[in-house]
Amino acid sequence: MSEVSSAIEAIKSQLAVLGEMCDELTHRELVGLLAELTAAVWSVPTLEHRILNRLAAETEPSALGESSWKEVLATALRISTKDAGARLEQAANLGPRRAMTGQVLAPRWEAAAAAQAAGLIGPEHVEIIAKFHKDLPSWVDVGTREVADTQLAQLAAGVGPAELDAAAGQLLMMIDQDGPEPSEKEQARKRGLTLGPQRRDGTCGVRGTLTAQARAVVEAVLAKLAAPGMSLPEDETAGPDLRTQAQRNHDALVAMGQMALMSGDLGKHNGLPVTVIATATVQDLEKGAGLAVTGGGTRLPIRTLIRMAARAYHYLYIYDKHTSESLYLGRTKRLASAAQRIVLHARDRGCIWAARSGWRQPRSGSCSMPGTGVARDQAAPRRATGARLIMRSPIGRTTATPISTS
């Protein structure tokens, strides 16, 4: 073990030497140093593969105090089990193997392993090659797989990930020209679009899967609205269009939504025209700062809200920050009026599902349904405090808060 420690210390000392040399090299020499350093770093996983495969062949995780190899790596290296699983999978494909008799066998992806050992391909190249092997149909024979691996490894040694990905796709199509049998039912099963939670900076992530029909529709719209110079934000209208394609796609989505809201063709939702309902305080509007909250629970900067107000028909509910004074209407109708709905959006921001003074305690936890996803009704008075205005989510939870009948 002392020899191992000495070797590691030697590596660290050489890295320190390179660090000191950085101040003396020219710019072109610095780029050359980066290239050589990258190649050295890319070759390091080869040693890791040998270590992991020997451990897996000679012992069990329980001998090291864990229930799985993922847990062993996660604990020892302070990494996630997801990262540990990826390392184990790469070691199984790119590391040396042993037969039942103890004979050393070549890696499963021999050409890719050799290129990695030489520092010619990096993690992104390896990921693309791994995806290629995963997408190969099961009927492809071993010889064809080896030839394909050799071709991809040789190509990866001289191109970037984007070029390698395109070549891998073409090679896969040549091997499996028919491709997987298209299935509309399978597309329908996988379809979906989800908005992630809003982050602290106001943005949110988007994930999902589009069917062929949805992609065709979106492509047609983006070809127009996401073209250079189209759907420009107000603060970027001057000068050349420097946005990336992804940014233009985002702005095109905003433009599509604004067109739909301004058209008036979306009808009504929960008794109100489909539009943006925003809540803000008088104080924030006067300062032009702070945040407004929409009926769906999105936090909007006041300046953004003011810009939006010029492009579509929105409801803006204003209340005093200090008194929280709002409009309370007493009705006997089954359905709440439009004014009451706007007040509820502003006051409760959705299915509040919490016990209020004088009302029954709900059976289970809080409902996070936003205001745009709940129904609003009135029920008969339970006590002398007045009628109840009900906010009910589609999953069946209801909550009642007393409103004044005076």
Side-chain angles (χ1 to χ4, degrees), residues 68-359:
S68 67
W69 285 116
K70 288 184 181 181
E71 295 295 338
V72 171
L73 296 185
T75 302
L77 307 182
R78 292 178 291 118
I79 60 176
S80 66
T81 54
K82 180 180 179 181
D83 186 9
R87 295 188 185 207
L88 290 167
E89 183 177 357
Q90 286 192 13
N93 294 316
L94 296 170
R97 300 171 295 162
R98 287 186 179 274
M100 295 290 291
T101 58
Q103 179 185 1
V104 177
L105 302 176
R108 185 174 287 112
W109 304 338
E110 186 173 3
Q116 186 182 52
L120 299 177
I121 62 175
E124 290 181 294
H125 298 98
V126 171
E127 183 178 350
I128 293 170
I129 294 174
K131 183 178 183 302
F132 170 83
H133 284 286
K134 182 179 180 181
D135 292 341
L136 277 178
S138 57
W139 52 261
V140 177
D141 60 90
V142 176
T144 303
R145 291 175 183 271
E146 291 178 350
V147 172
D149 182 65
T150 300
Q151 292 182 0
L152 290 180
Q154 291 175 349
L155 179 63
V159 300
E163 294 84 356
L164 178 63
D165 189 34
Q170 293 178 358
L171 183 58
L172 181 62
M173 184 174 60
M174 293 174 61
I175 296 175
D176 183 19
Q177 297 183 10
D178 294 333
E181 182 179 357
S183 171
E184 291 187 357
K185 290 184 178 180
E186 184 65 15
Q187 288 189 29
R189 185 184 67 83
K190 293 180 178 179
R191 76 188 189 281
L193 187 64
T194 303
L195 296 180
Q198 195 173 16
R199 306 185 184 104
R200 294 181 62 183
D201 63 356
T203 62
C204 79
V206 180
R207 59 182 175 85
T209 300
L210 299 181
T211 63
Q213 177 186 2
R215 179 184 171 88
V217 171
V218 172
E219 277 181 336
V221 177
L222 292 182
K224 171 68 175 179
L225 296 183
M230 295 294 294
S231 309
L232 282 166
E234 293 181 1
D235 56 351
E236 298 182 18
T237 53
D241 188 352
L242 301 178
R243 299 172 298 168
T244 65
Q245 183 62 57
Q247 290 172 332
R248 295 202 300 269
N249 291 343
H250 169 276
D251 297 340
L253 179 62
V254 175
M256 282 191 289
Q258 289 174 338
M259 291 177 184
L261 290 176
M262 294 176 67
S263 69
D265 295 334
L266 296 179
K268 293 185 176 182
H269 175 64
N270 286 342
L272 287 175
V274 177
T275 186
V276 176
I277 301 177
T279 307
T281 67
V282 174
Q283 290 81 0
D284 287 343
L285 284 174
E286 289 176 345
K287 293 185 299 182
L291 295 174
V293 181
T294 70
T298 299
R299 302 183 303 277
L300 277 175
I302 292 295
R303 293 183 182 274
T304 302
L305 176 65
I306 294 173
R307 287 199 304 268
M308 291 174 59
R311 296 196 173 189
Y313 300 101
H314 305 302
Y315 287 106
L316 174 61
Y317 178 82
I318 305 174
Y319 65 96
D320 186 85
K321 181 178 181 181
H322 303 292
T323 64
S324 298
E325 183 178 353
S326 58
L327 178 63
Y328 289 86
L329 296 177
R331 306 285 183 180
T332 56
K333 297 180 181 179
R334 173 62 181 168
L335 296 177
S337 67
Q340 285 177 307
R341 289 186 176 93
I342 296 173
V343 170
L344 283 177
H345 272 295
R347 186 190 66 183
D348 298 328
R349 311 244 171 100
C351 185
I352 57 176
W353 191 240
R356 297 288 184 94
S357 176
W359 300 109

Side-chain angles (χ1 to χ4, degrees), residues 352-366 382-383 388 398-400:
I352 57 176
W353 191 240
R356 297 288 184 94
S357 176
W359 300 109
R360 184 180 301 173
Q361 179 73 22
R363 293 183 179 179
S364 60
S366 176
R382 185 181 174 203
R383 293 188 178 180
R388 288 182 294 165
T398 62
T399 183

Side-chain angles (χ1 to χ4, degrees), residues 35-56:
E36 293 187 33
L37 187 61
T38 298
V41 171
W42 282 357
S43 67
V44 171
T46 303
L47 176 59
E48 182 178 295
H49 300 335
R50 295 187 63 179
I51 295 172
L52 293 179
N53 285 352
R54 183 188 165 191
L55 283 172

